[in-house]
Amino acid sequence: MTDPGIEMEVGGAPDGPAARDLFSKFDPLIEQRRALLSTGLTDPFNLTMERVESPTVAICNGRRTILLGTYNYMGMTFDPEVIAAGKQALDEFGSGTTGSRVLNGTYQGHREVEAALREFYAMDHAMVFSTGYQANLGIISTLAGKDDYIILDTDSHASIYDGCALGNAQIVAFRHNDVEALEKRLKRLPPDAGKLVVLEGVYSMLGDTAPLTEMVAVSKAAGAMVLVDEAHSMGFIGEHGRGVAEAQGVIDDVDFIIGTFSKSVGTVGGFCVSNHPKFEILRLVCRPYVFTASLPPSVVATAATSIRKLMHGGNKRAHLLENSRRLHGGLKQLGFTLGTDEPQSAIIAVTMPDLERGAAMWEALLHEGLYVNLARPPATPQGMTLLRCSLCAEHTSEQVGEILGMFEAAGKRTGVL
Amino acid sequence: MTDRDERLQTILRLITEFNKKGVEVTEATRFAQDLEWDSLTVMDFVAAVEDEFDVLITMNRAAEIETVEQLVDAVGELQGSK
């Protein structure tokens, strides 16, 4: 079988002596992959799930595999009411909208999911995008214009950096989660310039949370607007599951919250909620919102149903956080190095000594029947190789025990422990 | 020593902390190609320069700075515009 992900070769320009192969810039990466895979290792970035049995179990390479790297935090993907809502919308509204939200792509379901978001966050406005990536891309690039400043954490998600690249504002970075570094930079900005501080509730690589109380306070003192991406906290952090800003008591001072449907909500899509009185104008000026097709009716129906159920997910929330504490404590006891000293979210990052041993450990876990995310630079901070585990409220206590056993066996087999 | 010389000496000192490969540094040294710094190292270094001189170097501006010489001049310009 020819697999385009593996059969790439270094060099080899197409016909014509003058043709400069635009792919040659990727040669170092192609060579790194070739070297890694030539050891007979399973490609960590090319896994296929042949069947998915539940939010926590899939069949990979014919083997029953526990899923510990899916961001399916609240296990909503197989919720019977969510699935029923999606099927009904497919029957009643068809498979897709074939159009932009501002033309023919706004159906009743899009209105309903935005109403569910307004209710969930207790905010005046909600705008739904086709992905979470597009939500950051659109809001950030549209809000900050040429003479405005965007101040962001160096560990920000790619969608935040890409939102900056799409716009033409001045970009200022500050050291990860460093309140003093943020404050210093804010003070160096022209006092009358427009400023947007972009933060994340949970940083997804290490699973650490931001000191939003202090950061929002220094941002407001400098006259900046604040945007917080709560993609990895929705549904289970904060009293109503509104995220880290709610948990730290500063949600009323946050101007924009960005979120996604592809984690706790269990489908795909992105959104921004806000109380800004002029917020609705963004629907006409935000290009990643205007120039793309809207979400299919089945997707918005599943999202709306899921969001409403997440409002009452107290027991699941408690079990998820309990799972997170237990896995963190167990891995630490086994002797693994973790990204955070204490569990701060539903992400537990296990630090690997290097990419080779990280990939070997990833494969050993897969053979044990466990899927985690292998993360490496440039996605990771400080050049780290990480095995990233994200827990689900549907993981049973027995599964968490099984997972710890698999980590122990794989760790010993690969020499990581 | 002129102001520019002083700035150069300070910047050379700051580079030392990040110059893991011990590359010899002159004004013509390029950060990405010669020092082989990745984007994260560049960001940490820029933060150190910003704090040392109490200036703000936006990522837009930093992207245009390739050599030590350009950085010394840019910092001078940014200090002048304060």
Side-chain angles (χ1 to χ4, degrees):
Chain A
M1 196 177 79
T2 308
D3 184 337
I6 293 167
E7 299 293 317
M8 294 179 293
E9 279 175 25
V10 178
D15 303 347
R20 180 177 158 77
D21 188 359
L22 296 172
F23 281 75
S24 44
K25 62 174 87 59
F26 307 121
D27 285 351
L29 183 60
I30 292 171
E31 178 52 30
Q32 188 196 40
R33 275 176 58 85
R34 193 201 57 74
L36 193 64
L37 298 177
S38 68
T39 60
L41 200 79
T42 312
D43 185 353
F45 306 108
N46 216 1
L47 181 81
T48 304
M49 302 206 181
E50 290 130 24
R51 271 174 47 216
V52 180
E53 293 188 348
S54 73
T56 62
V57 174
I59 307 296
C60 307
N61 303 318
R63 212 171 17 235
R64 184 178 177 277
T65 305
I66 298 180
L67 301 175
L68 191 69
T70 64
Y71 297 146
N72 194 353
Y73 298 121
M74 296 296 276
M76 299 307 283
T77 50
F78 281 82
D79 182 279
E81 288 174 52
V82 169
I83 289 177
K87 284 181 174 167
Q88 192 185 343
L90 259 176
D91 286 340
E92 293 178 7
F93 290 91
S95 59
T97 67
T98 73
S100 160
R101 284 294 304 274
V102 296
L103 297 173
N104 59 305
T106 296
Y107 289 10
Q108 188 58 30
H110 298 84
R111 291 279 179 237
E112 280 168 14
V113 74
E114 286 174 344
L117 283 169
R118 286 197 298 274
E119 208 175 306
F120 186 93
Y121 284 97
M123 290 211 184
D124 296 340
H125 305 280
M127 186 170 162
V128 167
F129 291 77
S130 297
T131 65
Y133 175 86
Q134 279 170 293
N136 268 330
L137 203 65
I139 295 293
I140 293 171
S141 65
T142 309
L143 279 176
K146 190 171 180 306
D147 299 317
D148 300 327
Y149 287 85
I150 296 171
I151 305 94
L152 54 76
D153 186 295
T154 49
D155 283 7
S156 293
H157 188 260
S159 58
I160 293 173
Y161 276 106
D162 292 356
C164 293
L166 182 66
N168 51 10
Q170 300 296 311
I171 315 300
V172 176
F174 65 90
R175 191 209 303 261
H176 177 55
N177 272 354
D178 187 335
V179 179
E180 198 192 329
L182 167 63
E183 190 174 24
K184 268 189 200 167
R185 277 152 188 78
L186 284 167
K187 285 184 172 159
R188 289 179 195 144
L189 291 171
D192 52 346
K195 305 175 192 82
L196 177 67
V197 174
V198 179
L199 305 167
E200 294 180 46
V202 173
Y203 285 86
S204 65
M205 284 298 140
L206 297 179
D208 53 334
T209 54
L212 292 183
T213 310
E214 296 83 0
M215 290 191 149
V216 171
V218 300
S219 302
K220 287 285 145 183
M225 285 191 165
V226 180
L227 178 153
V228 180
D229 182 328
E230 295 275 12
H232 292 275
S233 55
M234 182 181 184
F236 57 93
I237 295 182
E239 190 192 345
H240 300 90
R242 292 171 191 156
V244 177
E246 183 187 34
Q248 296 188 12
V250 291
I251 196 166
D252 292 341
D253 290 325
V254 172
D255 298 274
F256 310 97
I257 289 179
I258 296 279
T260 177
F261 296 161
S262 62
K263 299 183 180 8
S264 295
V265 177
T267 176
V268 65
F271 61 85
C272 180
V273 293
S274 175
N275 282 327
H276 197 288
K278 298 178 184 170
F279 187 77
E280 295 294 323
I281 196 64
L282 291 177
R283 291 187 200 271
L284 295 183
V285 294
C286 180
R287 296 169 65 88
Y289 177 84
V290 173
F291 294 99
T292 196
S294 66
L295 288 167
S298 56
V299 169
V300 286
T302 53
T305 307
S306 180
I307 291 163
R308 292 196 179 280
K309 291 197 83 168
L310 288 177
M311 292 179 197
H312 312 287
N315 289 340
K316 281 179 110 175
R317 232 176 257 177
H319 182 65
L320 173 60
L321 297 175
E322 171 55 30
N323 278 348
S324 179
R325 276 193 294 273
R326 187 156 159 236
L327 183 68
H328 189 281
L331 289 172
K332 207 165 156 177
Q333 205 172 14
L334 285 172
F336 287 100
T337 313
L338 305 182
T340 55
D341 289 337
E342 299 297 327
Q344 296 182 17
S345 65
I347 298 171
I348 311 289
V350 186
T351 313
M352 292 288 113
D354 50 47
L355 179 59
E356 286 67 31
R357 274 177 286 179
M361 179 74 187
W362 179 87
E363 184 177 56
L365 285 171
L366 194 62
H367 281 279
E368 291 287 329
L370 182 67
Y371 173 76
V372 299
N373 294 145
L374 176 66
R376 58 162 193 192
T380 53
Q382 292 136 45
M384 288 194 274
T385 297
L386 301 171
L387 291 182
R388 222 159 27 135
C389 310
S390 49
L391 286 143
C392 175
E394 299 286 320
H395 281 126
T396 61
S397 304
E398 292 72 37
Q399 278 176 321
V400 178
E402 232 181 303
I403 289 165
L404 285 169
M406 291 166 167
F407 259 97
E408 186 174 15
K412 284 181 176 157
R413 184 134 47 85
T414 54
V416 171
L417 273 186
Chain B
M1 212 157 54
T2 65
D3 287 354
R4 191 178 187 287
D5 288 337
E6 271 180 46
R7 277 203 310 279
L8 173 63
Q9 292 313 316
T10 307
I11 284 170
L12 289 175
R13 172 170 60 77
L14 293 174
I15 289 174
T16 314
E17 292 167 39
F18 297 88
N19 188 5
K20 298 272 156 59
K21 301 201 168 145
V23 177
E24 197 189 329
V25 183
T26 68
E27 284 207 45
T29 302
R30 295 167 302 173
F31 296 104
Q33 295 93 328
D34 301 328
L35 295 177
E36 295 180 39
W37 287 356
D38 58 22
S39 58
L40 292 171
T41 307
V42 169
M43 285 172 100
D44 284 343
F45 172 68
V46 167
V49 173
E50 286 181 320
D51 288 346
E52 180 72 33
F53 293 99
D54 194 24
V55 294
L56 197 73
I57 305 173
T58 63
M59 288 175 68
N60 320 47
R61 185 67 190 262
E64 293 167 359
I65 300 171
E66 288 182 10
T67 66
V68 173
E69 182 186 14
Q70 288 168 353
L71 178 62
V72 174
D73 292 336
V75 169
E77 203 182 300
L78 289 164
Q79 282 185 313
S81 68
K82 270 205 306 181

